[in-house]
Amino acid sequence: MSRQATSTDGHNIDRDRLVDLYRTMRRIRAFEEAAEKASITGQVGGAVHLSIGQEAIAAGVCANLRQTDQITTTHRGHGHCIAKGTDPGAMMLELFGKEGGTCGGKGGSMHIADFEVGMLGANGVVAAGLPIAVGAAHGAKLMGEDRVVVCFFGDGAINRGPFMEALNWATVFKLSVLFVCEQNGFASTTHSDAVTGGGGANARAESLGLEAHTVDGNDVAAVDALVADLIPRIRGGSGPMFLSANTYRLKGHTSMDPALYRDQDQAAAQWDVDPLIRAADELRRLGLADSDLAAIDSAATGEMSRVSEAADAADTPALEHAFADIQDVGAPVWEAQS
Amino acid sequence: MSTMSIISYQEAARQAVAEEMRRDKRVWALGEDLGRGGVFGQYKGLVEEFGPERIADTPISEATIMGASVGAALVGTRPVVEMRFADFALCAVDEMVNQAAKARFMFGGQARVPMVIRQPSGMWRSSAAQHSQSLEAWYTHIPGLVVAAPYTPADNKGLLKSAIRCDDPVIYIEHKANWDLEGEVPDDDDYLVPLGPARLAREGADITLVTWSKMVGEAEQAALLAAEQGIDIEIIDLRTLWPWDQEMVFASVAKTKRLMVVHEAVQVGGFGAEIAATVAEHMAHVLVAPIRRLGAPRAPISYAKPLEDLLRITPEKIVALASEQMAV
Ligand SMILES: Cc1ncc(C[n+]2csc(CCOP(=O)(O)OP(=O)(O)O)c2C)c(N)n1
Ligand SMILES: [Mg+2]
């Protein structure tokens, strides 16, 4: 059942659509670079897992979703949020731990959520998003809604038990879920291959009854084309599907990780197949002027440096929020400290 | 005036689920073997009335039973999660503690996680170390969770209904040895017992005994035995462990000036320690005897009956402790 998507290589993608995809990717890249900078300066405190190099997956998948469709993501989820429509300003405030952040500054990078656009939460626990995505789809089925839920996770997550449980569950209940495995080659400092037995993600998915696909996750047009085919089928009641997107984590595991544990020449060579460079080349072939590309780039960089500056200047949350939104029954009582 | 029926603890819970499912289309139940009524029969007849979508038979996938319930709750349904045995909830701790209990807070209040996590607990029919535990104290430690542990059939109906209507994740601890316990239960569809307030199970003048779940029964027997020795025990059935009814406990201790806390769970790190410490912090000056706790020894529960019985909290052990308290 496994199918290799044919690379579209400029033959049949609409230029305007590719421009939109490129813009999304460029905005994600600019956000990540701004976050990286703020992390290094210490303005952003907690761990920041950058999706630099993986933007094509977020952009190509989410371009095919409705706002009412939902996603769950991981610790490395900024790109998915932006592609699903979350405001980068609110995201950056969240990273800075400021008032006005997506979660009021109480979640940080690993817990960004934006229910209004169907972004049901990043997660600090590897593979924890799979059962939650499956449950969101189960809820949609019970309520008779035709939403699709996309679950993003890494190649490291396939070795946790909830991966098997969630895929099996999605098959058993015939749920409208697209599982997207971002195969970036690493789980933290470990080569994913070195700790993964058998035929890997797709073989596991197929053994659990899911139709499984593979795509070049650095080719945004290919991701877009394949997902454009899968989502309507899923929405139409096909049951869950699985997509492995091959990519590469261009940066370290976190913003602080120089990733010296990997072959430095190989890692450097990956910058040549950076999905942004590939999309830009494609756009040039389709006749887009360099100046148009440069305008998209500078708009994205400008937007993200503005959100960083705004986040830096914003206020920290009022202290009583530490005790808010815990529970209705038996919540702690906030007493203002003098 | 609402009428009463004499029904079992199990039937009371079954009625609670059925009534809440009739009342609110968003409520559904999921777990292993529910289609045949659940392992203890707590869901008997429900699939016939509500169908297999709302009384869902799941794979043996505790992590995903719990995790999918979190997802389904986040998008607006109200799952009743059946864990079969409390011991198996340990296969779903991340989903309970890191996901269900945290989502509302971490996401800045964007969503609620209305789910009830039913955990049949306690010693029952020689079930040994992996099917007998009482782990309620763990959950009281987790911000975001509500913890209930009813003893009477009426409370098992009224509290379960409140738990299903609550927007918080509620750990709902039913004692397996209580399934057949009968008692008067209001027939009223809107009979609710609020989460939080305790129940004064017996009035007494000499010692305040705080307990919950099946130990309320042991405490009541102990009170009868103690009365023969002239000791008058007041029994508070806590029913909800988080939040717990400090007001009732404090008022009782102010009257009796003595406190003992009794639970089936291991004494070390048990929830009795929290109650004892809280009373000591606030009321040491009124106490005429040291606070005493009675819980199980810190040993896994044995299979062989005489060994299992060694760990059991009995009315005799409670009376012995009461006499010691009175002797101070
Ligand atoms: C259950 C759990 N175990 C370990 C970790 C620590 N951890 C965070 S990210 C990560 C690697 C995950 O790799 P992968 O799933 O491939 O995602 P990637 O980081 O490559 O995007 C690890 C081990 C965790 N957060 N949760
Ligand atoms: Mg990885």
Side-chain angles (χ1 to χ4, degrees), chain A residues 113 115 123 165 327-330, chain B residues 64 68 99 110 144-145 168 242:
Chain A
F115 279 64
N123 215 302
E165 289 194 8
Q327 55 198 118
D328 290 338
V329 178
Chain B
T64 295
Q99 314 299 334
Q110 289 183 66
L145 298 178
D168 300 325
W242 190 265

Side-chain angles (χ1 to χ4, degrees), chain A residues 70 94 102-104 106-108 111-116 119-123 125 128 131-143 145 147 160 162 164-166 168-169 172-173 321-331, chain B residues 26 28 30 52-54 56-77 91 94-95 98-99 101 104-112 142-146 166-169 195-196 242-243:
Chain A
Q70 293 166 329
E94 191 59 37
T102 49
C103 309
K106 300 206 296 188
H111 304 303
I112 291 178
D114 185 1
F115 279 64
E116 270 181 27
M119 200 284 141
L120 302 184
N123 215 302
V125 177
I132 293 174
V134 155
H138 205 135
K141 185 174 183 185
L142 283 169
M143 296 185 290
E145 291 165 8
R147 281 186 272 115
R160 280 207 64 223
M164 192 286 285
E165 289 194 8
N168 180 59
W169 188 291
V172 166
F173 291 102
H321 291 308
F323 297 94
D325 283 316
I326 295 172
Q327 55 198 118
D328 290 338
V329 178
Chain B
R26 299 169 301 173
W28 60 300
L30 69 164
E53 289 223 319
R54 291 180 72 199
D57 261 333
T58 69
I60 307 166
S61 300
E62 283 73 15
T64 295
I65 294 172
M66 195 74 74
S69 295
V70 174
L74 286 173
V75 301
T77 73
C91 301
D94 169 61
E95 292 73 15
N98 287 327
Q99 314 299 334
R104 176 178 172 188
F105 180 83
M106 285 190 311
F107 300 157
Q110 289 183 66
R112 305 286 171 102
I142 307 300
L145 298 178
V146 176
C166 179
D167 279 345
D168 300 325
L195 294 159
W242 190 265

Side-chain angles (χ1 to χ4, degrees), chain B residues 199-212 215-237 252-253 255-262 292 294 313-327:
Chain B
R199 180 181 71 94
L200 188 62
R202 182 185 198 273
E203 260 187 81
D206 297 330
I207 300 176
T208 298
L209 189 164
V210 177
T211 189
W212 54 88
M215 287 302 111
V216 176
E218 270 66 12
E220 284 171 345
Q221 291 175 43
L224 295 177
L225 296 174
E228 291 167 11
Q229 303 177 20
I231 304 171
D232 191 13
I233 298 180
E234 175 147 306
I235 302 171
I236 295 178
D237 171 4
S252 174
V253 173
K255 177 177 79 176
T256 63
K257 303 182 171 45
R258 290 183 176 85
L259 172 67
M260 50 194 283
V261 188
V262 177
R292 298 299 299 272
L294 182 59
I313 307 300
T314 59
E316 292 70 26
K317 287 180 186 168
I318 298 171
V319 173
L321 201 66
S323 315
E324 278 180 38
Q325 273 218 316
M326 293 308 289

Side-chain angles (χ1 to χ4, degrees), chain A residues 281-319:
Chain A
D281 286 348
E282 189 67 30
L283 282 168
R284 279 191 208 92
R285 264 201 296 278
L286 291 168
L288 197 76
D290 280 341
S291 58
D292 289 334
L293 279 167
I296 294 172
D297 294 357
S298 69
T301 325
E303 177 190 5
M304 300 311 168
S305 67
R306 282 194 302 281
V307 302
S308 271
E309 280 162 29
D312 192 41
D315 291 330
T316 52
L319 293 182

Side-chain angles (χ1 to χ4, degrees), chain B residues 31 40 59 71 84 92 160 183 202:
Chain B
F40 298 107
R84 196 180 184 112
L160 185 50
R202 182 185 198 273

Side-chain angles (χ1 to χ4, degrees), chain A residues 154-156 182-187 192:
Chain A
D155 43 1
E182 300 186 316
Q183 306 256 13
N184 65 6
F186 288 89
S192 301

